[in-house]
Amino acid sequence: GEDARFSLELASKRIAVDRLILNELRARVSASEDELTLEARIAGEGGHADVSASTAMRWKDHLLPALDRQQLRGAFTARDFPLASLSPLVEGSVSELAGKLDANLRAELESGQPRLSGQASLRDGVLQLPSVGQRFSDIGAKLTIAPDRVRIEQVTARGLSGGLEAEAEAELIGLKPVAARA
């Protein structure tokens, strides 16, 4: 009835599920008397992506822990993560997916107020959408998130008969957009 704890770790090297092939898959969940944490890593083709999240909780002598829904911290980081690793997950709506993702994103829920920050970039992207009948290549983009603003810049892509360049910015209050331009 005191000092309740829980820990589970799953890890695999070179895992294949259908056409999803990963060099490493690791996940860890742990709970102590006052905190619940989750950490996961996916790696494939020379890159990786990491996710972490934690929240305060109370367990003590209860059968199940009570989470603090007003406090949450999370992060997503990626370095040269190959989007092709995710192709089987979007099968049906996307027939080709490729590119390298770099990201360092943070999310917090502090006293019920959300706060986002970080940046992400995509390079050498390829996307083919059967519903549109178009293949886009040389896709690149940069995303910057601040607590009061989301900015997407340097979006580029090539199609069969041309290309596009775009950028957009939205002003936020919490997670709600209050002004935008593109």
Side-chain angles (χ1 to χ4, degrees), residues 30-176:
S30 63
S32 64
E33 186 174 309
D34 60 354
E35 185 175 52
L36 175 67
T37 61
L38 165 71
E39 298 169 339
R41 171 174 272 230
I42 299 172
E45 296 181 29
H48 63 86
D50 296 293
V51 175
S52 65
S54 64
T55 186
M57 64 173 219
R58 289 185 332 274
W59 200 341
K60 297 201 181 230
D61 60 351
H62 297 91
L63 179 60
L64 296 173
L67 300 179
D68 183 346
R69 295 190 172 123
Q70 298 295 310
Q71 309 286 331
L72 178 66
R73 292 170 306 285
F76 173 77
T77 58
R79 162 101 1 140
D80 291 329
F81 182 71
L83 293 182
S85 298
L86 304 176
S87 290
L89 302 177
V90 294
E91 194 172 283
S93 56
V94 175
S95 59
E96 186 178 1
L97 179 65
K100 298 288 185 175
L101 177 67
D102 292 321
N104 186 2
L105 301 169
R106 304 269 182 251
E108 293 180 9
L109 187 62
E110 188 72 35
S111 300
Q113 297 298 312
R115 183 177 163 93
L116 302 174
S117 62
Q119 57 275 337
S121 64
L122 172 66
R123 66 185 183 286
D124 304 325
V126 175
L127 178 65
Q128 184 163 354
L129 301 168
S131 61
V132 177
Q134 179 72 38
R135 181 181 190 271
F136 299 96
S137 63
D138 299 324
I139 300 171
K142 291 187 179 183
L143 168 75
T144 305
I145 301 174
D148 64 343
R149 184 170 317 277
V150 173
R151 183 176 174 93
I152 303 170
E153 51 190 321
Q154 300 176 354
V155 177
T156 58
R158 293 200 169 281
L160 294 175
S161 60
L164 69 90
E165 293 181 5
E167 63 180 51
E169 185 172 9
E171 188 177 325
L172 305 173
I173 295 180
L175 297 179
K176 180 180 176 186

